[in-house]
Amino acid sequence: MANAEDIQWFKEQFHAEIEAKVAETVFDLDMLTAIACQETGEIWPVLRKEPGLSVAQIVALCVGDTLDRPRTFPRNMSDLISAPHGQEMFDIARKALVDMAVHIKSYQGAAAIPAKFVKGFGIWQFDLPHRQLGICRLTESAMS
């Protein structure tokens, strides 16, 4: 989980972009930092300390949520693949898991299972269904 130094790093890296986007809203840098800590606070604090990773690569590697879901899309691999562009989404989500697990040991077990994939993308964990709406473009372009 993120500590005070990690939070300071996050704010230094993202404050300008966040503050520009939340101007004249009820949101602020502290709130979005707290959400980032909740959603991916076990990932970016580790990645930021790895030599050679750019901020864009760190953002791209902030993926998660490998649990099968009984009620929401996608429930599992076959549910995802059966959707329009499902194989493409699976390939992206699977590669994201494998790439992230190289750096985050707690995900290596899931990455070892060929049917597993991530369902959350980015520092704030947009769910995979948002991929259909084009929200995960930054993650995809940074992974390429």
Side-chain angles (χ1 to χ4, degrees):
M1 194 48 99
N3 63 29
E5 289 176 3
D6 298 321
I7 292 167
Q8 183 62 35
W9 174 88
F10 183 89
K11 288 181 175 183
E12 287 171 2
Q13 298 306 310
F14 300 107
H15 74 91
E17 186 175 357
I18 290 172
E19 288 171 351
K21 297 286 184 184
V22 300
E24 300 182 33
T25 73
V26 297
F27 303 106
D28 63 14
L29 178 60
D30 288 335
M31 176 184 278
L32 290 179
T33 301
I35 294 170
C37 289
Q38 172 66 33
E39 294 297 325
T40 53
E42 82 280 8
I43 299 170
W44 55 264
V46 173
L47 297 175
R48 77 173 188 88
K49 296 171 187 159
E50 292 221 9
L53 286 181
S54 69
V55 172
Q57 290 169 312
I58 292 168
V59 170
L61 291 168
C62 281
V63 296
D65 186 4
T66 60
L67 301 175
D68 290 338
R69 301 172 176 170
R71 295 187 186 111
T72 60
F73 176 82
R75 291 185 309 271
N76 53 38
M77 177 184 162
S78 59
D79 190 33
L80 178 58
I81 289 175
S82 69
H85 304 288
Q87 185 65 56
E88 174 190 7
M89 288 189 285
F90 174 78
D91 292 345
I92 290 167
R94 173 74 187 151
K95 182 178 184 323
L97 170 60
V98 171
D99 290 350
M100 183 263 288
V102 168
H103 305 278
I104 307 297
K105 291 179 181 165
S106 60
Y107 281 86
Q108 290 173 352
I113 302 169
K116 287 294 187 180
F117 58 98
V118 294
K119 298 168 185 86
F121 289 84
I123 297 222
W124 294 286
Q125 293 292 281
F126 289 111
D127 286 336
L128 189 58
H130 289 97
R131 162 66 176 85
Q132 295 172 300
L133 303 173
I135 292 176
C136 295
R137 281 188 217 115
L138 174 62
T139 299
E140 287 177 24
S141 64
M143 288 170 46
S144 301

